Amino acid sequence: MNEIRTSVVAVGPLQGYLAAPRDGSGVGMVLPMITGIGAQVREYAEDIAATGITALVWDPFHGPNADDTPRERLYELMNGLDDDAALAEIRGLTDHLLGELGAERVGVLGYCLGGRLALLAGARDERLANVIAYHPSIPAVPAANHTHDTVADAARIAAPVMVLHAGADTIMTADVFADLQRSLLSRTSGATIVHVYPGAEHGFSTRARHGNPVNADAYALSWPQALNFMAQTLAAGRP
């Protein structure tokens, strides 16, 4: 495992949480998550950095995060997010990784809210080397602030995609999940890897949900495979 360095960094008008191997890295991942730069997503970023991949966490709410803000308030903020503004910020962090931080290949990994945005980003940014969506929040009836059709747009992603689906998800229904798979499988480029964890709940990756052994087991099985997917798709010389 690599020694890592961590810091909160300014990226233009944005701030992000940076976790990077101490000796540098030629590859990186952008991480969006509803919790902002909370302890859980910082832990994910540090796990990634320990494998030799730089991780840069998006701050969707420009300050508030799960460490200091009630979950109900984060949901209110989430419902006020604009798709295009959020995607522009994720693209800005991607630019920063590829520019100032010197990464040669970059991917995107999102959880819940971030899983949906990761898929949308993958459909719009051909520079991305991978897209990973943990239990993405794609409701059957789009939220008022969802101006893009995630399922339809997924067909435009050129990069390899990994979706980790909670079998007992109450936000993305079985029908929407089936539609998402069909959209991804219609692509003519980019591998599609779909994991289903029966009985696991939406957000099963979050430590707060690991009191349910099904969620804890799903995360313990899925996370090493997601890390390996990152490493393989970011490796030099891959298409």
Side-chain angles (χ1 to χ4, degrees), residues 7-92:
S7 61
V8 174
V9 296
V11 182
L14 309 175
Q15 71 169 3
Y17 180 76
L18 179 68
R22 191 167 294 281
D23 295 332
S25 169
V27 293
M29 294 292 296
V30 178
L31 280 71
M33 186 173 176
I34 185 177
T35 56
I37 305 178
Q40 179 70 86
V41 75
R42 296 198 305 270
E43 180 182 309
Y44 297 148
E46 290 160 15
D47 283 352
I48 292 167
T51 72
I53 298 169
T54 296
L56 184 57
V57 180
W58 177 49
D59 178 17
F61 309 128
H62 300 182
N65 63 69
D67 295 347
D68 57 23
T69 305
R71 180 68 63 141
E72 294 74 19
R73 176 55 181 157
L74 293 179
Y75 284 131
E76 290 175 3
L77 293 170
M78 177 187 72
N79 290 332
L81 281 179
D82 175 79
D83 275 353
D84 288 323
L87 290 167
E89 292 187 1
I90 292 170
R91 190 178 185 93

Side-chain angles (χ1 to χ4, degrees), residues 158-189:
V161 175
M162 172 180 274
V163 176
L164 303 111
H165 177 59
D169 202 321
T170 56
I171 295 179
M172 183 164 70
T173 65
D175 287 345
V176 174
F177 176 53
D179 289 342
L180 177 62
Q181 290 184 89
R182 278 191 289 271
S183 183
L184 289 169
L185 292 173
S186 73
R187 301 180 301 149
T188 57
S189 67

Side-chain angles (χ1 to χ4, degrees), residues 70-136:
R71 180 68 63 141
E72 294 74 19
R73 176 55 181 157
L74 293 179
Y75 284 131
E76 290 175 3
L77 293 170
M78 177 187 72
N79 290 332
L81 281 179
D82 175 79
D83 275 353
D84 288 323
L87 290 167
E89 292 187 1
I90 292 170
R91 190 178 185 93
L93 297 184
T94 304
D95 292 343
H96 186 69
L97 277 165
L98 290 168
E100 287 86 340
L101 297 184
E104 296 177 2
R105 293 172 68 81
V106 172
V108 60
L109 161 65
Y111 307 80
C112 304
L113 149 78
R116 174 178 176 269
L117 289 171
L119 293 164
L120 291 175
R124 287 160 175 76
D125 193 342
E126 293 184 355
R127 300 172 300 171
L128 292 172
N130 65 47
V131 175
I132 304 173
Y134 253 99
H135 35 73

